[in-house]
Amino acid sequence: MLQSYISEIGRSAKSYCEHTARTQPTLSDIVVTLVEMGFNVETLPAYAKRSQRMVITAPPVTNQPVTPKALTAGQNKPHPSHIPGHFPEFPDPHTYIKTPTYREPVSDYQVLREKAASQRRDVERALTRFMAKTGETQSLFKDDVSTFPLIAARPFTVPYLTALLPSELEMQQMEETDSSEQDDQTDTENLPLHMSTDDSGPEKENASVLQQNTSLSGSRNGEENMIDNPYLRPVKKPKIRRKK
Amino acid sequence: VPPVGMLLFRMNRKKGDKGFESPRPTTHQVVCINNINFQRKSVVGYVELTIFPTVANLNRIKLNSKQCRIYRVRVNDLEAAFIYNDPTLEVCHHESKQRNLNYFSNAYAAAVSAVDPDAGNGELCIKVPSELWKHVDELKVLKVHINFSLDQPKGGLHFVVPNMEGSMAERGAHVFSCGYQNSTRFWFPCVDSYSELCTWKLEYTVDAAMVAVSNGDLVETVYTHDMRKKTFHYMLAIPTAASNISLAIGPFEILVDPYMHEVTHFCLPQLLPLLKHTTSYLHEVFEFYEEILTCRYPYSCFKTVFIDEAYVEVAAYASMSIFSTNLLHSAMIIDETPLTRRCLAQALAQQFFGCFISRMSWSDEWVLKGISGYIYGLWMKKTFGVNEYRHWIKQELDQIVAYELKTGGVLLHPIFGGGKEKDNPASHLHFSIKHPHTLSWEYYTMFQCKAHLVMRLIENRISMEFMLQVFNKLLSLASTASSQKFQSHMWSQMLVSTSGFLKSISNVSGKDIQPLIKQWVDQSGVVKFYGSFAFNRKRNVLELEIKQDYTSPGTQKYVGPLKVTVQELDGSFNHTLQIEENSLKHDIPCHSKSRRNKKKKIPLMNGEEVDMDLSAMDADSPLLWIRIDPDMSVLRKVEFEQSDFMWQYQLRYERDVVAQEEAILALEKFPTPASRLALTDILEQEQCFYRVRMLACFCLAKIANSMVSTWTGPPAMKSLFTRMFCCKTCPNIVKTNNFMNFQSYFLQKTMPVAMALLRDVHNLCPKEVLMFILDLIKYNDNRKNKFSDNYYRAELIDALANSVTPAVSVNNEVRTLDNLNPDVRLILEEITRFLNMEKLLPSYRHTITVSCLKAIRVLQKNGHVPSDPALFKSYAEYGHFVDVRIAALEAVVDYTKVDRSYEELQWLLTMVQNDPVPYIRHKILDMLTKNPPFTKNMESPLCNEALVDQLWKLMNSGTSHDWRLRCGAVDLYFTLFGLSRPSCLPLPELGLVLNLKEKKAVLNPTIIPESVANNQEPVNSTNNHGQSVGFQNTFSNSQEEEEIDMDTVHDSQAFIYHHLNMLERPSTPVNYLLIPFYQFLLGKEQSSGEVNMHPVSAAPLSVFSKESNSSKHSDHHHHHHHEHKKKKKKHKHKHKHKHKHDNKEKEKDPFAFSNSPASARSIRSPSLSD
């Protein structure tokens, strides 16, 4: 009860303060709250000054391990005002000392490419080896199964899905390249095939807009631009046949 | 509701176009499939045909139907008796030892003829109940109602049911119709002809989660009473041939085309994003065709359905097309995009010509294929440009020329005189071209290719404008006719015939194209030119010599105009030579004096003027290069001789891509530094067509190999590749991928593949090249690319495979890891990694797996890795992506050949019989034919009697459900054994047989030499189709009747045929029908319409015989009597029939279906020695 009472005071006070477009509750907010809650504010000062009131004391001081003098160096930073005195001291000043070292960051293109390539290769190799070790394998050499382990071919129930849908990695990549907008640095006019890399953009947008229209109009019957396609029409209920 | 009660109509056709009039024109057909069970793969339904009799005494109606089980037939609500007989189920009957292909092909052609709807035949013969005869005589309408079912169809309808948990819709199970040419009879009874049109009402009741897509307009979709299923009602008011009816049912995702709302696309679940991208282009194709044909798309709607396990990539039907789902692709895929667009365009072209306009007869097929192929070509030209178009035409031309020279010719418009096989216009082939169903698939592909090339020749002759006018005329006539009622006799306007088409051309253009037609359409063969020249300085004349080879198979003599283009210093000049019988030499006056005016620019054909370095040319001659028939206006092969510098000039300065490609191929024979320079320059020229540049890569590799001892500098193309695709600062590292420029992309893909073909003096791939390719793989980085690099990586693996050379083997040692060549180790490392990564991150269409499998086979074949088919066999299993399976199967086929493995051959043949995917079955036979384990006249341990029997069985009866597959089996049999009796078979026990009938001794027919076998009479002719068996009584619909199994009926056919033959053999005195069994056999069929079939219910086993019994034959009959008694019992009601015996007719055709072709031969036949 006490807890809910106190939190109600807090909640209410906050509401009052926010009502007056402030963020920090003031004393008057609390007062209004208490009044609202039917509490006689007048009695409060008397209650605070009562004789048998309880005081929360600081925790008993334990014997702190005294650091040997030899190990201390310099003066520790004093506590700022908001940190109670019984909190531990700050570390020694030397612990804050840093010695920046200057080395050329790896920015050489060749090295970067080299690194990326070998890193990828290592990852791929480790991954495939792991897969090969944990699963069934096939081998090209009868006498040796470990040097070139091939993960065994496993038929799919629906083989076309994996073959046609782009993998998640590729999807992610596609989104990235789309946002970073890989510029057509090269001559797009000379494209040998009219595969519309440049004009696919607006077209596609059109398509998707129209597509949305389709779905919208499909759901909202009676709109003006409704697409009349027999496959979008609702399925009819069966006619009730009279029994002969 | 179909029109009822109208009077007779005779098809408004000219005689000669088709040669007969259909006795049973159908005006309207209802197809209703009320139950489809995906679990059992079965279909139950009925059809109802509205028929207008054209002849008064029509008492038998013949329809096409295969593999359907027919329960009940009613004509105008009266039960009707029917017979089901399909002679194509088993082509050659009797367990004869006859094993020569000639015999088979004749028998097969005869069997197909016997059920050919165009000749009024069919597998299903329905007897019109006698109560209706009067009705028929008044030529009143008949309604034929047939209840049928289909259980586990092997052809015609293909079920795809993934083996997993969930409902059929969740699994993505679907079913679709498929087949080659007229195959509709496989899934419902109909008149399965392209020339018989009618209107349609189609109803399909399917699971509520499924969609049924079919022809015509979807009128409504209605739930069934339990709301668990729904019925799709389709109406097709445009008269359409049964062969153009199709169906696809599955849990499809539906996409209404955003540009054309009457167009709807369907794909399997989860593929919608791909479908959106793939079909986003289709409206442009629509616009293009409608514009050039100045005609609206004929149907009121269009549907595209993308399905798995497709029979062919593209199949066009009335108002819908069925595509392979593997054509779908995302925006990241470059290589598939143009291919898929081509498929869409092809399908759409066939909607106009092929579906809407159908054909009069099989021999008019070329017009349809020609026109649709031709307008598709126009679309190509507009979409991909003139270069691509000309390249394609050249490619198609080369293909047809190569095929015709190999096989002896493709005939577009065969005319069959009197049905005699002697007049067979294609006697050089091992199959009959009389029917589409007997054609080899490869032949048919080439046929289509030739058809559109010939259309292009006609265009050259009469101009494109007239050509399009002709098409427009055909279409507008058809579309007027289509809106008419059946009774107006207009529907035949929707059928195109060769004569009608030619007449249209002459009306529109006023030109006589008869010589052209005679040359390319009525006659097979291509022209082979050999050209050479000399320059006569004194007369300033070019003396051109053009020879022809018209004696080799597949060639023909060309007489007529031939264009020759001569590029001189002063410009390019066209000359039209008249090719005549005996003149070989042609003098062409030159326009320019030979001179060295280096400053002057040289004008080209297209008006461009260019500077050339003329130092290479002959100082005395003004000729730069010469081209024969530059416009490809003759179907020909030209071998022309000119000096290397002329080819180089042609490559550098001729603007026609075909000329450039010809020059590249010619330069292979001139490995000189000058050729090298010309090729390198072309490679670097960005304005040059990318395909030419790609071709130049391979030529350069060949030249470099020929010049290996004098080659200077880095390996060919390496510095070029480095300059174009590698980083400026670190030339050994390739730039991160950016495929925005497709030209560069294709070049980047191709160059490494060509470079890997380079060889050093030891005939090994230079280490430098191998390391270079390995580096390309290592540094390949696609992270910043908008497009997928799967095709690029696949080609890099192909490049690795190309670099492999045969292993140096010491004493045939066993290949182990220890003696592995270090270079090969590096290659294997890459292949292993790629193949394994594919399992984790599969590439589009698994291109990388495909390349890896190919590379592994190359390593095996070259002796680096032990030869072993196990890996490939696991990838060939059902459940892998089709491209992967094909690649794996190709490796197994190759293994079978190289290692002469009987076991693998058996494994492959088992797959041909059992694999669920028709395309795979077909492809295995195709690959075995192209890369055969052995050929005729070759000693091989694989060639034995068991194999002969197995293959014979396969083509004789094992493939009756798929025309394409059967023809594939025939092709393989031909490749392995040739036309005559396979050499591995033992000689028949009896070399001599006595023909008792003729009292002559002749050589056993089974060992007739090929030449004689060729002259055999057709074993069965069309007027023999009356040998119908398995008469089934249908008066009661009892349980018992349903138990009659069609299969057992078929099994007894061999027996029945045999006996029927005996009945019909004129000179043999035979007792007829003493045995009750025969009572349900039909007698001799007569086209005259005589009535001799009487259903007599509950009649006693009345017996009639025409002649008294001769003891010899009665014994024979008794032999079989017993085993057939059982079957007989099933038929409660017996029919007796009179056997009318038309002796005169018999005489003409005395050997019908007998297996004694020997009797057809005279005593003069070769050696009687044996």
Side-chain angles (χ1 to χ4, degrees), chain B residues 35-92:
Chain B
N35 192 7
I36 292 200
N37 188 329
F38 280 92
Q39 197 71 56
R40 291 187 47 210
K41 300 188 179 171
S42 67
V43 165
V44 181
Y46 69 84
V47 295
E48 189 178 271
L49 296 93
T50 309
I51 291 174
F52 280 77
T54 53
V55 282
N57 45 11
L58 178 86
N59 43 40
R60 220 156 291 161
I61 297 165
K62 290 198 167 187
L63 297 176
N64 293 111
S65 174
K66 265 172 101 70
Q67 77 182 354
C68 298
R69 181 180 299 209
I70 292 170
Y71 291 108
R72 189 179 184 200
V73 177
R74 278 173 299 163
V75 180
N76 285 14
D77 292 327
L78 291 166
E79 296 291 341
F82 63 94
I83 298 164
Y84 188 82
N85 168 39
D86 183 0
T88 63
L89 279 181
E90 191 184 358
V91 173
C92 298

Side-chain angles (χ1 to χ4, degrees), chain A residues 109-110 113-114 116-117 120-121 124-125 127-129 131 138 140-144 147-167 169-170 173-174 177-178 182-188 190-197 203-204 206-207 210-211 214 227-241, chain B residues 162-163 218-225 227 234 255-256 258-259 261 264 266 268 270-271 274 276 303 308 325 332 334 337-338 341 383 690 727 730 733-734 736 738 740-743 746 777-780 782-788 816-817 828-830 832-833 835-837 839-841 843-846 856 865-866 868 871 874-875 878-881:
Chain A
Y109 187 75
Q110 187 172 351
R113 288 291 301 275
E114 184 92 43
R120 196 192 55 199
R121 175 173 299 231
E124 284 184 4
R125 209 224 295 264
L127 186 61
T128 51
R129 293 243 158 194
M131 294 296 289
Q138 287 164 320
L140 296 173
F141 295 90
K142 289 214 169 67
D143 56 336
D144 184 296
T147 316
F148 298 110
L150 295 174
I151 301 173
R154 197 165 297 138
F156 305 90
T157 42
V158 186
Y160 60 86
L161 283 183
T162 46
L164 300 179
L165 288 171
S167 66
L169 191 79
E170 281 177 309
Q173 242 177 57
M174 196 157 59
T177 47
D178 271 0
Q182 189 177 25
D183 288 319
D184 13 338
Q185 321 112 320
T186 36
D187 35 0
T188 32
N190 287 347
L191 296 185
L193 312 166
H194 284 233
M195 289 200 313
S196 62
T197 44
E203 243 182 58
K204 242 168 103 190
N206 275 344
L210 277 162
Q211 206 42 52
T214 313
I227 295 171
D228 184 35
N229 184 292
Y231 294 94
L232 300 180
R233 284 179 211 147
V235 182
K236 291 183 185 168
K237 293 270 161 59
K239 289 168 202 155
I240 298 154
R241 271 186 227 150
Chain B
N163 185 16
L218 176 63
V219 181
E220 57 177 5
T221 319
V222 186
Y223 277 114
T224 53
H225 287 278
M227 300 293 277
Y234 283 91
L255 171 69
V256 176
Y259 300 91
H261 295 170
T264 321
F266 301 87
L268 292 164
Q270 299 182 49
L271 299 177
L274 302 187
K276 269 184 197 165
K303 288 141 285 185
D308 190 26
T325 194
M332 294 162 65
I334 296 177
T337 310
R341 290 187 179 180
T383 310
Y690 76 107
C727 304
C730 35
I733 295 180
V734 69
T736 57
N738 176 5
M740 292 297 284
N741 182 336
F742 297 146
Q743 283 186 327
F746 280 107
I777 294 173
K778 184 178 167 190
Y779 293 115
N780 179 47
N782 205 49
R783 282 174 300 180
K784 291 268 178 281
N785 200 357
K786 195 173 165 180
F787 298 101
S788 168
T816 58
L817 204 54
L828 258 184
E829 194 83 44
E830 296 300 329
T832 313
R833 199 168 44 84
L835 196 53
N836 285 338
M837 277 309 288
K839 304 284 186 307
L840 307 170
L841 286 173
S843 59
Y844 177 72
R845 290 191 79 153
H846 298 322
I856 291 173
V865 171
D868 181 10
L871 178 78
S874 72
Y875 279 96
Y878 180 69
H880 285 281
F881 186 66

Side-chain angles (χ1 to χ4, degrees), chain B residues 177 181-184 187-188 192-194 197 200 214-215 236 239-247 299 316-320 350-351 353-359 368:
Chain B
S177 62
Q181 285 282 329
N182 21 8
S183 297
T184 307
W187 59 288
F188 66 81
D192 194 8
S193 160
Y194 281 99
L197 309 179
W200 296 83
S214 190
N215 318 89
L236 182 56
T240 301
S243 313
N244 277 324
I245 296 298
S246 63
L247 167 68
Y299 299 98
Y317 301 97
S319 84
M320 79 183 265
Q350 287 175 22
Q351 286 291 315
F353 293 94
C355 296
F356 180 60
I357 293 194
S358 191
R359 65 179 190 227
L368 290 179

Side-chain angles (χ1 to χ4, degrees), chain A residues 66-76 91-95:
Chain A
V66 182
T67 29
K69 201 76 182 160
L71 287 181
T72 53
Q75 207 62 46
N76 286 349
D92 290 348
H94 74 266
T95 53

